Amino acid sequence: EIVMTQSPATLSVSPGERATLSCRASQSITNLAWYQQKFGQAPRLLIYGASTRATGIPARFSGSGSGTEFTLTISSLQSEDFAVYYCQQYNNWPRTFGQGTRLEIK
Amino acid sequence: QVQLQESGPGLVKPSETLSLNCSVSGYFISNGYYWGWIRQSPGKGLEWIGSIYVSGNTYYNPSLKSRVTISVDTSKNQFSLKLTSLTAADTAVYYCARANGHCDSSTCYNWFDPWGQGALVTVSS
């Protein structure tokens, strides 16, 4: 099983600033997705293929990385961006998720 | 657009079997795609349970495989989850989702989108 590790667990950032979230895989992968989850809601797909934005996702969200190290960057935080973010690998079965990064208002 | 909706009991007793359905609207399951179940325990992260294709081909999480069955009913345009021998550790919000992506000759590569709103299942006597 591929273990996904996200850091930091909590990130405090001010609105308008940039946020950088990390995701590390226990072995090299090429297929990675990022999701946003707000309280009481289902996760929403942001990024697939490590860097392709899903339909309707604003351009301030970008994904990068390869191998075992991946990054989700939110260029200028809006109030609606404060949520929990998860990465997921879909290279191998079983599909696995990171434990999440909580993005909170500083 | 594609929408998914979970349905099932909110409270189940320990040792019993959980049965959940996921109704799909805006897309005919018979047209393809994998469809999956994911759960989230209170205050914890996401755990993939399993996925099924319209042909009936399934993949299960090894940690749950002995207790899980996922099936599809194209006549009702829905797919279902059965989880047996429940314990308190199975208390979670259960989500269904469409698994988008692509397949090659050996396997498939799928992310999840869209998701249903989730169904809270509590295991308690």
Side-chain angles (χ1 to χ4, degrees), chain B residues 28-99:
Chain B
F28 291 113
I29 287 183
S30 55
N31 285 343
Y33 281 106
Y34 270 86
W35 305 84
W37 288 97
I38 303 103
R39 71 180 183 179
Q40 185 170 35
S41 301
K44 295 191 178 177
L46 298 160
E47 179 180 32
W48 172 74
I49 300 170
S51 297
I52 188 167
Y53 192 68
V54 61
S55 64
N57 188 41
T58 52
Y59 291 91
Y60 295 132
N61 194 321
S63 67
L64 298 167
K65 187 174 184 177
S66 63
R67 300 194 291 130
V68 172
T69 303
I70 297 176
S71 59
V72 64
D73 186 339
T74 55
S75 67
K76 295 181 179 179
N77 213 40
Q78 68 181 31
F79 60 105
S80 303
L81 168 70
K82 287 191 188 304
L83 183 64
T84 63
S85 305
L86 294 173
T87 70
D90 294 310
T91 293
V93 175
Y94 286 75
Y95 295 100
C96 60
R98 186 172 72 175

Side-chain angles (χ1 to χ4, degrees), chain A residues 47-61:
Chain A
I47 301 284
Y48 62 92
S51 61
T52 302
R53 276 190 304 278
T55 301
I57 301 303
R60 64 180 182 273
F61 290 90

